[in-house]
Amino acid sequence: PRAPSTRNDIRDCSADPPYLPPTATNTTARLAALRGTMRTHGAHAYIVPSTDAHMSEYISGRDARLGWLTGFTGSAGTAVVTQDKAALWTDSRYWTQAERELDCNWELQRTTSVESIGMWILNAVPAGGNVSLDPFLFSIGTWNSYSRALHGSGRTLLPLETNLVDQAWGDQRPLPSSSEIYSLPAEFTGSSWQEKVAGIRQRMEQHVRRPTAVLLSGLEETAWLFNLRGDDIPYNPVFYSYTLLTNTTISLFVEGSRLSAAARESLRSGCPGLLCVELQEYGQVSAHLRRYAQGNVTVWLGTEYTTYGLYGIIPQEKRLEENYSPVMKAKAVKNTHEQEMLRAAHVRDAVAVIQYLLWLEKAVPQGQVDEFSGAQHIDALRWAQEHSRGPSFQSISASG
């Protein structure tokens, strides 16, 4: 056991009574609510990841289930809750932060491996127990890792399409974004969405397995394909959506009321016909995919961004799996115009950085600047540049 900490900014659960810093969150009521929903669904353990249904690196407040449940606000972690225990796994970047934000309901596990989580579950859940999770929040690879970790142990990995954290969170959960989804001006794209769709369909025809559809789950895939942008996730110009592109139809699953008039007009300009985008409700993707997969079809998908929930809907013999979808691969190869745009953007950014360095040289010796005001200043200089839509992540500013 470690000696009691002399620091007052981190928790000390060995003290009597336990010491919690003001940054810790009281999670007693949240855990009680979750455990109630777990009993209702027959779940002896529940696994909560830090990602969303699109395997996004950054997430919106509405998807911050791990943060709400635990109080831990780091970008990567996994929680497991049983009726009498709760544990959080995260990597070394976040150990100190976790000790500041967790209360004493939580054990901090200083690793991220599924094997370690599996061992903990085997110790905490007796044989015959159900280990539940939301299959629409886990990648195919992660699901398979949990399946292997529990295989032959007498514990059942039980997918629940009802998210139990969302039930416990209730009406306190942030609402979905209602901001406008807009078209990217042609001067930035180098090719129209119709040309991009034609290119992907050509790849489908040329593939040896002749897939009949491509399923897009990554948010940047749909944004790139249709030259659309949004701001559903901080620092990311994307919006919640899925796409099912077949050789004759285009289904875009999105909150249609949020599309700008110009965006809607652009998508509907080819109707009726092969380049007509059919708008479907975002929440209908599973039902639509289930119907489609009943036919004589082959669905091409990228396993890196597809959740186990969607993957499991498609029968195995009807799946064409690659690490990345053809859209992600096409997006990675920049056309001449995009290359020019990238260079121009970097020049504008360099101007802001040079202005910042000059300002630092003058301001720091006068004692007028700290890390926080410095970060605010470089953000302001970048915003002042033409075409700026804000930084791509929160400025990380440190000295000394």
Side-chain angles (χ1 to χ4, degrees):
R2 288 178 299 180
S5 172
T6 54
R7 294 175 58 164
N8 65 359
D9 64 335
I10 63 173
R11 64 182 184 159
D12 184 356
C13 297
S14 63
D16 187 21
Y19 171 73
L20 294 177
T23 46
T25 298
N26 182 343
T27 63
T28 302
R30 298 173 187 188
L31 280 167
L34 176 62
R35 285 167 172 149
T37 66
M38 286 167 61
R39 283 192 292 274
T40 305
H41 287 85
H44 300 102
Y46 194 65
I47 308 175
V48 183
S50 54
T51 187
D52 65 10
H54 303 272
M55 301 291 102
S56 305
E57 180 184 1
Y58 294 80
I59 56 171
S60 69
R62 182 173 171 80
D63 284 315
R65 298 174 178 90
L66 186 77
W68 175 79
L69 181 66
T70 66
F72 170 68
T73 59
S75 70
T78 303
V80 182
V81 177
T82 67
Q83 284 302 331
D84 58 354
K85 287 185 174 157
L88 172 81
W89 285 257
T90 190
D91 64 75
S92 56
R93 292 174 297 169
Y94 294 120
W95 292 344
T96 303
Q97 182 177 337
E99 295 286 13
R100 288 173 175 162
E101 294 181 332
L102 297 175
D103 65 7
C104 290
N105 288 312
W106 293 90
E107 302 169 24
L108 176 60
Q109 302 287 334
R110 289 172 160 77
T111 168
T112 56
S113 75
V114 170
E115 291 73 25
S116 144
I117 300 173
M119 289 299 296
W120 188 92
I121 289 171
L122 294 181
N123 286 324
V125 177
N130 290 325
V131 179
S132 288
L133 42 70
D134 179 345
F136 291 93
L137 292 181
F138 286 83
S139 70
I140 300 158
T142 306
W143 171 278
N144 290 338
S145 296
Y146 280 110
S147 190
R148 283 193 297 273
L150 300 178
H151 182 72
S153 69
R155 284 83 170 169
T156 304
L157 195 58
L158 181 69
L160 289 176
E161 295 199 8
T162 302
N163 188 289
L164 302 190
V165 174
D166 292 352
Q167 282 204 332
W169 204 346
D171 58 10
Q172 296 301 300
R173 186 181 175 209
L175 294 169
S177 175
S178 57
S179 62
E180 188 175 75
I181 298 167
Y182 58 95
S183 289
L184 197 64
E187 65 192 272
F188 295 109
T189 62
S191 52
S192 68
W193 72 259
Q194 291 91 340
E195 289 167 330
K196 293 178 180 180
V197 165
I200 301 304
R201 282 176 168 160
Q202 191 176 1
R203 288 180 183 223
M204 290 162 65
E205 280 175 34
Q206 291 168 349
H207 197 286
V208 64
R209 282 195 56 195
R210 300 297 289 270
T212 60
V214 174
L215 174 65
L216 304 180
S217 294
L219 298 181
E220 58 194 67
E221 298 180 291
T222 289
W224 177 85
L225 184 64
F226 296 111
N227 292 334
L228 296 175
R229 297 293 185 267
D231 61 358
D232 291 12
I233 297 176
Y235 308 110
N236 291 260
V238 294
F239 51 92
Y240 286 104
S241 55
Y242 295 95
T243 300
L244 188 68
L245 171 64
T246 79
N247 31 30
T248 57
T249 63
I250 310 168
S251 299
L252 171 58
F253 300 87
V254 69
E255 192 56 56
S257 62
R258 296 178 50 205
L259 289 164
S260 71
R264 183 180 288 269
E265 195 176 315
S266 158
L267 297 174
R268 306 292 290 166
S269 60
C271 299
L274 297 179
L275 289 172
C276 173
V277 179
E278 296 165 18
L279 297 176
Q280 313 260 7
E281 281 304 308
Y282 172 76
Q284 289 299 305
V285 65
S286 297
H288 185 95
L289 187 60
R290 192 168 277 115
R291 284 194 301 274
Y292 181 77
Q294 289 171 355
N296 180 22
V297 298
T298 302
V299 181
W300 195 356
L301 54 86
T303 54
E304 287 289 318
Y305 288 88
T306 308
T307 63
Y308 185 81
L310 280 183
Y311 175 83
I313 289 172
I314 310 161
Q316 188 177 350
E317 69 279 4
K318 296 180 181 182
R319 293 193 293 247
L320 167 54
E321 301 171 42
E322 293 181 1
N323 285 349
Y324 299 100
S325 77
V327 168
M328 201 58 103
K329 289 179 179 175
K331 172 183 171 297
V333 181
K334 305 303 179 191
N335 62 42
T336 310
H337 186 69
E338 286 172 319
Q339 291 177 39
E340 287 171 13
M341 294 280 102
L342 278 168
R343 291 189 190 101
H346 276 284
V347 169
R348 291 194 298 274
D349 191 67
V351 169
V353 173
I354 291 164
Q355 289 173 330
Y356 177 64
L357 294 174
L358 186 65
W359 176 78
L360 278 182
E361 279 181 22
K362 292 176 179 174
V364 170
Q366 295 171 13
Q368 292 174 358
V369 58
D370 57 29
E371 286 99 326
F372 186 69
S373 64
Q376 287 182 307
H377 190 69
I378 194 167
D379 285 350
L381 292 171
R382 284 178 159 143
W383 268 117
Q385 289 295 320
E386 193 183 10
H387 306 309
S388 174
R389 305 291 301 197
S392 59
F393 55 88
Q394 194 171 7
S395 290
I396 300 170
S397 173
S399 76

